[in-house]
Amino acid sequence: MTEQDWKEKLTPEEYYILREKGTERPFSGTYNDFFEKGHYVCAACGNKLFESTTKYNSSCGWPSFDQAIEGSVKYTKDTSHGMIRVEVTCAKCDGHLGHVFDDGPKDTTGTRYCMNSVSLKFVPEN
């Protein structure tokens, strides 16, 4: 899709975060304190990204997961904002989802996928 197509498909906030690599304010997202059973997909293209069983409360202000569905995301070195981080994007549409860190739960993967709620849509378990 062209950037114009994305602008027409997405809300202004979704476009800012998914296409311009923005970030929602901490503790403001729909899924920060949301723990229903189901899975999460990319808000732009519907690619299945995370199972609800991998979501946990990290108290960081954004939805956190300890594992992505294999092959669903891509990782890119991000040196913006004067730090080195790993950006997480949708493997299907390249939409910006958030960043991944190595400070997650030690009893599972040790990984924290710090995602923007705006980049996600929840699909309830049937």
Side-chain angles (χ1 to χ4, degrees), residues 22-36:
T23 302
E24 65 196 12
R25 288 184 338 272
F27 302 102
S28 68
T30 302
Y31 301 123
N32 183 48
D33 290 319
F34 183 88
F35 293 95
E36 301 296 321

Side-chain angles (χ1 to χ4, degrees), residues 19-51:
R19 305 309 306 167
E20 296 180 331
K21 303 182 186 299
T23 302
E24 65 196 12
R25 288 184 338 272
F27 302 102
S28 68
T30 302
Y31 301 123
N32 183 48
D33 290 319
F34 183 88
F35 293 95
E36 301 296 321
K37 290 183 180 181
H39 62 270
Y40 295 82
V41 300
C42 174
C45 72
N47 184 29
K48 191 173 176 182
L49 304 169
F50 300 98
E51 295 291 349

Side-chain angles (χ1 to χ4, degrees), residues 71-109:
S72 68
V73 299
K74 295 190 301 188
Y75 306 94
T76 307
K77 183 178 179 180
D78 177 2
T79 57
S80 65
H81 304 291
M83 62 183 102
I84 299 173
R85 302 179 291 175
V86 177
E87 178 189 14
V88 179
T89 56
C90 176
K92 186 175 176 185
C93 72
D94 289 322
H96 173 75
L97 304 172
H99 291 86
V100 64
F101 303 96
D102 63 1
D103 61 357
K106 299 300 179 205
D107 60 331
T108 59
T109 63

Side-chain angles (χ1 to χ4, degrees), residues 13-24:
E13 186 178 32
E14 288 171 337
Y15 185 83
Y16 168 67
I17 291 173
L18 285 157
R19 305 309 306 167
E20 296 180 331
K21 303 182 186 299
T23 302
E24 65 196 12

